[in-house]
Amino acid sequence: MTQIKYSRRLFGLTIRQNAHPDMRRLRRQAGEPALHGNKFWKSSCLMMDYLKKNPLKKGTRVLDLGCGWGLGGIFCAKHFQADVTGLDADPSVFPFVEYHAELNDVQVKTWRCRYERVTRVDLANFDVLIGTDICFWDQLENPLYNLTRRALQSGVRKVILADPGRSPFLRLGARAQERLGADFIDWAVTRPMKASGCLLIAGGDL
């Protein structure tokens, strides 16, 4: 009964809620994430809905930026058999990534790194970058803009970022739209969970 009570199904994924005993156990073992990677963020629904309507090719190499629990990347692995790496500066999130990946019968690699340390050589190993709720501080705008620019210069085909519409992300979107030719659009879903916000989409077709 507990398994059902503290779980949700979204876009074909099983996701545990924070009150689930497994989540409490992981927090005791790994400690509370320090950079807000501590729960399911609603903007993940925007990302999954966009990808459902704009599917990736099988085997696409995906880098999930600021992955937190890694649900965007897990969605890509589950539905598109993507080769996914979850990047985060806070290693305490990785047990949550690995737990949800196993729960959903997929594999996701993890990589501890800060955005500004991801090089062009690193980026050449990926086709698509995704990120959800990762531009929540003013000081994150520049690193994410520069990372998006480096990614496109390195041959990454597409960068997709989702956010509920915080001020730093709005500035990032306007800047990427003006200088990188990115699309910056409103996006909303009503099912399976109500969520709204913005998507930044840079790059060409896959």
Side-chain angles (χ1 to χ4, degrees), residues 80-92:
F80 313 123
Q81 293 78 57
D83 180 0
V84 177
T85 300
L87 177 148
D88 208 288
D90 182 1
S92 68

Side-chain angles (χ1 to χ4, degrees), residues 1-2 16 22 88 93 113 121 123 131 139 141 162 166 178:
M1 186 67 168
T2 299
R16 299 300 194 213
D22 287 349
D88 208 288
V93 304
C113 192
V121 173
L123 291 164
Q139 56 265 42
E141 178 193 339
R166 299 181 185 86
E178 178 184 353

Side-chain angles (χ1 to χ4, degrees), residues 35 79 116 166 175 195 202 206:
L35 297 172
H79 291 280
E116 58 269 26
R166 299 181 185 86
R175 191 173 170 189
L206 295 173

Side-chain angles (χ1 to χ4, degrees), residues 150-162:
R150 286 199 306 280
L152 298 177
Q153 291 171 344
S154 303
V156 171
R157 302 288 297 279
K158 185 164 284 190
V159 179
I160 310 162
L161 306 180

